[in-house]
Amino acid sequence: MGGRYIIGITGASGSLYGEKVIRRLLTAGCEVHVCITQAGQLVTREELPWSWPDGAAPEAIQAALRDWFGCGGELVFHDIHAVGASIASGSFRTDGMAVVPCSMGTLSAIAHGASHNLLERAADVVLKERRRLVLAVRETPLSTIHLQNMLALSQCGATIMPACPSFYHAPDSLDELADFFAARLLDQFGLSGDDVRRWTGM
Ligand SMILES: Cc1cc2nc3c(=O)[nH]c(=O)nc-3n(C[C@H](O)[C@H](O)[C@H](O)COP(=O)(O)O)c2cc1C
């Protein structure tokens, strides 16, 4: 299938969803550009067995991620501060971006065009270029501000896809539960895997 996608991981809970989305994109033969916020690095450390020393160089993080996913150059890691990176420009063509999981902080920044870091800028670019942006938001309960930011972005064409797992496919594990959500997210890019169990009616 192929394609080029940007995956942002923020400091919301649910980094396993991000891991599953990246893995599925790589399996589909896609080029995946990964950017993780500072809070995202903290939370992934709690939730995933990803480990690299504090302050590790971007090259070292990229190597660790390639090792984890068992891939090579098709995974590109970008430092959150590298605002001169390829994905900061609309002239670098991509097939879309997902922020998974997406914190309320990053949601707000994207809704207001803040572009304070590379992830926010990349999302801003995807919106201005009218490419597909999927935000796997996670917080509970939601404040009126959160809801207003989601509405604003939905009106700008982004897909708000709350990281709410479903249970009707009777997952046996957290892994399966997160993977099903990841598969549904990739449906948004037309990249459905053949292994996805789909509802065919009662
Ligand atoms: C363990 C942990 C879990 C968190 N879960 C969430 C969450 O589900 N949703 C959220 O919006 N923020 C959550 N936060 C708070 C964000 O990490 C925090 O607001 C951070 O500033 C977001 O920054 P970022 O958007 O740059 O990643 C969590 C923080 C920690 C430490």
Side-chain angles (χ1 to χ4, degrees):
M1 274 183 272
R4 179 188 278 159
Y5 295 89
I6 305 166
I7 300 301
I9 295 180
T10 72
S13 185
S15 32
L16 183 58
Y17 295 121
E19 197 270 354
K20 295 292 177 201
V21 168
I22 294 170
R23 189 174 295 283
R24 279 187 169 269
L25 285 171
L26 291 170
T27 303
C30 299
E31 182 180 309
V32 187
H33 291 254
V34 179
C35 190
I36 309 178
T37 64
Q38 280 179 320
Q41 295 217 24
L42 279 180
V43 178
T44 51
R45 195 167 301 170
E46 294 297 314
E47 298 186 338
L48 293 175
W50 288 357
S51 65
W52 44 77
D54 269 339
E59 297 75 21
I61 299 176
Q62 177 172 271
L65 287 174
R66 287 180 180 177
D67 195 43
W68 174 264
F69 288 106
C71 67
E74 58 273 33
L75 186 152
V76 182
F77 175 78
H78 297 280
D79 185 75
I80 192 70
H81 302 299
V83 289
S86 55
I87 58 173
S89 170
S91 66
F92 185 75
R93 296 176 71 170
T94 67
D95 296 289
M97 173 171 181
V99 185
V100 53
C102 181
S103 71
M104 295 304 102
T106 292
L107 173 82
S108 168
I110 298 171
H112 293 87
S115 294
H116 282 138
N117 62 38
L118 179 61
L119 192 158
E120 294 170 14
R121 168 63 185 166
D124 202 49
V125 166
V126 168
L127 280 178
K128 84 180 172 73
E129 299 294 336
R130 303 282 194 261
R131 295 172 188 152
R132 186 167 284 280
L133 177 64
V134 178
L135 302 174
V137 293
R138 209 229 69 102
E139 188 49 281
T140 194
L142 294 164
S143 74
T144 306
I145 292 171
H146 300 154
L147 292 165
Q148 283 170 338
N149 287 334
M150 286 184 216
L151 177 62
L153 281 166
S154 177
Q155 287 171 335
C156 292
T159 298
I160 304 297
M161 187 165 182
C164 297
S166 57
F167 295 90
Y168 60 83
H169 59 295
D172 286 327
S173 63
L174 262 187
D175 234 45
E176 210 183 301
L177 183 138
D179 193 47
F180 187 79
F181 177 81
R184 297 287 291 113
L185 191 148
L186 291 199
D187 271 349
Q188 295 298 315
F189 296 111
L191 289 174
S192 334
D194 292 337
D195 61 326
V196 185
R197 277 161 56 195
R198 295 185 183 279
W199 187 249
T200 51
M202 295 236 176

